[in-house]
Amino acid sequence: MASIKILLWKHDKKKDGTYAIAIRITQNRKTRYIFTGQYLLEKDWDAVKSQVKKSHPNSKRLNNLLLKKLSEAHSVALEIEANNKQTTVKKIKKKIVNNKDSDFFSAAKIYLANLEKRKKFNQKKSDEGRLKIFKAFLKREELAFGDLSVTLLNKFQGHLLHKKNRSERTVVNYMILIRTIYNLAISEEIIGRELYPFGKDKISIKIPESEKIGLNAKEIQLLENAEDITDVQQQAVNIWLFSFYFAGVRVGDVLKLKWSDFKDGRLYYRMGKNKKLVSLKVPEKAQAILEKYRKEKTNRKDLVFPNLKGTDLKDEKRVATRVKTITRNLNRRLEIVAETLKIDKKLSMHIARHSFGNISGDKIPIQMLQKLYRHSSITTTVNYQANFMHKETDEALDKVINF
């Protein structure tokens, strides 16, 4: 028999310090949640009795409401179990929840909680911001899936493009988020596919082409020989070059490198994005940068670069926040360096990865670049060799017209 209980959902605290009150349905070790639409401070919740404490000014009204919802849930569960011996927790939840009136933002809470569990802290923060803007557009806190129509989404896209001045790529990110939450609601059997607003003749999501232009060899040499820049700007250049020398190691991974990650002239580290293990030879140019920081080393567990010094590396959420802030500061300094050196391209930490890919075009096979990048699909790798692809098409054009 299914176990049904009311509890405080502590995975997502609102800015006012309250948590959502949810109904938990458990059967055969499978669990699903239904949100009641009510919020409460932790101090006002009696976890033992599963009810609002009497100290809360509206405790009687809230407890009556919660008792009614709990009773309805029990009744539905008993009805289903009486008629279907093979029932599942998903079927019970689907029967309890009214498909048309179920709330999009309640499903969004489950989605955000899943990101938290997967330690996708930066993505969670970004998506929370997008959902906040969506709520502001709607001018309400709840949205029934039945009201999440093609017309509404078209209006929201227009709002983002013309009122918020967001780029087409940014608008696509909003649509992908809304579609992801909708798909989650379908997989959780909160709703069906009958009103699905995405697909052919509906909201079609097409990612616009974009091109990040990497630096060429001469521009990288300008960075290597940079003069008349400040110490903090030089620090940013060092980290950029170090990333480039190791095939565009992501900035988050560079900042977390320790001296113990270097053994017998090789770098060993696990990529933060996909957790794949990487082993690379330490090039002479990278070794020269290491020597600049060796004097700060006190033991092999020290970080190579000092930017995360003082941050508890076991606190992954805190580390993710710090890396984001540090990256933003590094990019600002790199922009100033580019202007000083008259590099007429956008210079950021991520461009180090694209620069390596572009320069590699006619030097190594694309399969080797895929291996260096640890890409699962070679299609992803192709995007990093844009300059080389242009070179091939340019040469082909010349062969045809130069007669």
Side-chain angles (χ1 to χ4, degrees):
M1 181 176 175
S3 168
I4 302 176
K5 183 179 181 180
I6 292 182
L7 47 72
L8 210 59
W9 174 265
K10 294 184 181 179
H11 297 284
D12 186 30
K13 181 165 41 172
K14 296 181 71 177
K15 285 188 176 180
D16 61 3
T18 60
Y19 295 95
I21 301 176
I23 298 173
R24 184 183 68 193
I25 309 166
T26 305
Q27 185 183 51
N28 298 328
R29 298 183 181 180
K30 302 288 184 181
T31 301
R32 291 291 183 275
Y33 295 90
I34 300 173
F35 294 93
T36 65
Q38 303 300 318
Y39 296 85
L40 204 68
L41 292 169
E42 188 173 7
K43 70 180 182 65
D44 293 322
W45 181 252
D46 189 329
V48 177
K49 295 182 179 180
S50 294
Q51 65 181 28
V52 182
K53 291 181 180 179
K54 291 181 180 179
S55 57
H56 189 279
N58 294 319
S59 61
K60 188 173 182 179
R61 181 182 65 82
L62 285 171
N63 282 328
N64 286 338
L65 175 65
L66 296 175
L67 186 61
K68 181 182 177 182
K69 289 182 178 290
L70 186 63
S71 178
E72 289 172 352
H74 275 295
S75 296
V76 170
L78 286 171
E79 179 187 347
I80 293 176
E81 290 179 345
N83 296 323
N84 186 356
K85 292 182 180 180
Q86 299 300 319
T87 189
T88 65
V89 68
K90 279 190 175 183
K91 290 179 180 178
I92 295 172
K93 178 176 180 178
K94 185 176 181 180
K95 183 72 174 178
I96 293 171
V97 176
N98 183 310
N99 285 358
K100 186 176 179 182
D101 297 329
S102 52
D103 178 40
F104 169 82
F105 291 110
S106 293
K109 287 187 179 71
I110 299 174
Y111 165 76
L112 293 172
N114 288 343
L115 289 180
E116 181 89 19
K117 288 178 184 176
R118 291 162 51 205
K119 299 179 180 178
K120 301 288 186 180
F121 304 116
N122 287 336
Q123 185 180 346
K124 178 174 181 278
K125 188 172 181 179
S126 296
D127 287 343
E128 283 174 333
R130 294 184 181 112
L131 289 168
K132 184 178 179 181
I133 289 174
F134 190 31
K135 281 184 180 180
F137 164 75
L138 296 168
K139 297 179 180 177
R140 49 183 160 144
E141 291 291 314
E142 295 181 356
L143 175 66
F145 275 100
D147 294 332
L148 188 53
S149 63
V150 172
T151 301
L152 176 66
L153 291 174
N154 278 329
K155 287 181 179 178
F156 183 47
Q157 289 185 89
H159 172 76
L160 292 171
L161 285 168
H162 307 301
K163 293 289 182 68
K164 290 289 186 180
N165 295 318
R166 298 294 194 266
S167 68
E168 288 187 14
R169 182 65 178 91
T170 299
V171 174
V172 165
N173 289 339
Y174 278 86
M175 293 301 109
I176 290 174
L177 171 61
I178 293 171
R179 185 181 64 181
T180 301
I181 294 171
Y182 208 119
N183 289 341
L184 173 65
I186 292 172
S187 69
E188 292 286 323
E189 297 193 7
I190 295 172
I191 52 165
R193 296 192 62 90
E194 298 83 10
L195 302 174
Y196 194 61
F198 299 96
K200 187 178 180 182
D201 299 326
K202 298 179 182 179
I203 298 295
S204 179
I205 297 176
K206 295 180 180 178
I207 298 176
E209 287 189 14
S210 63
E211 184 176 78
K212 294 182 175 68
I213 303 175
L215 272 57
N216 58 40
K218 289 183 178 179
E219 289 164 335
I220 291 171
Q221 286 174 339
L222 287 175
L223 291 178
E224 291 176 329
N225 301 309
E227 296 179 352
D228 298 324
I229 60 175
T230 67
D231 289 344
V232 291
Q233 290 167 4
Q234 184 63 60
Q235 167 84 350
V237 170
N238 289 343
I239 294 173
W240 192 96
L241 289 171
F242 200 80
S243 168
F244 171 77
Y245 294 150
F246 284 105
V249 177
R250 293 181 178 87
V251 61
D253 293 329
V254 173
L255 295 174
K256 288 182 279 188
L257 289 177
K258 298 179 180 179
W259 290 101
S260 57
D261 295 324
F262 297 88
K263 302 180 183 72
D264 300 324
R266 299 190 68 80
L267 165 63
Y268 298 87
Y269 79 101
R270 192 171 297 279
M271 296 175 71
K273 186 172 183 178
N274 54 28
K275 306 304 178 186
K276 292 181 180 179
L277 190 63
V278 178
S279 171
L280 294 169
K281 171 192 172 183
V282 179
E284 289 184 12
K285 289 183 175 182
Q287 187 63 45
I289 292 178
L290 285 174
E291 294 306 318
K292 293 180 181 180
Y293 293 89
R294 192 175 295 279
K295 62 181 179 181
E296 304 295 331
K297 173 186 173 184
T298 58
N299 65 71
R300 59 192 301 272
K301 291 294 182 181
D302 284 349
L303 293 166
V304 173
F305 298 100
N307 306 69
L308 282 173
K309 189 175 181 180
T311 304
D312 182 3
L313 298 182
K314 294 180 181 179
D315 185 346
E316 295 185 63
K317 189 172 185 178
R318 174 62 179 161
V319 170
T321 301
R322 287 285 298 129
V323 166
K324 190 172 184 178
T325 301
I326 292 166
T327 304
R328 185 165 57 245
N329 290 333
L330 289 173
N331 287 341
R332 286 171 181 165
R333 290 160 187 165
L334 288 169
E335 285 179 11
I336 298 171
V337 170
E339 187 176 347
T340 302
L341 300 179
K342 294 181 172 52
I343 296 174
D344 191 22
K345 290 177 184 174
K346 182 177 180 180
L347 183 58
S348 68
M349 285 305 307
H350 190 62
I351 290 298
R353 194 167 177 84
H354 284 273
S355 300
F356 186 91
N358 286 339
I359 293 173
S360 73
D362 54 358
K363 298 181 182 296
I364 61 174
I366 195 167
Q367 292 82 2
M368 180 55 66
L369 183 62
Q370 179 189 10
K371 186 176 180 180
L372 286 168
Y373 279 170
R374 296 299 191 270
H375 284 158
S376 300
S377 169
I378 200 165
T379 304
T380 307
T381 312
V382 168
N383 294 329
Y384 285 84
Q385 286 197 336
N387 282 0
F388 181 59
M389 298 304 170
H390 290 330
K391 180 181 176 182
E392 286 186 326
T393 56
D394 291 346
E395 289 175 351
L397 183 66
D398 285 339
K399 286 179 181 178
V400 174
I401 66 173
N402 290 337
F403 52 82

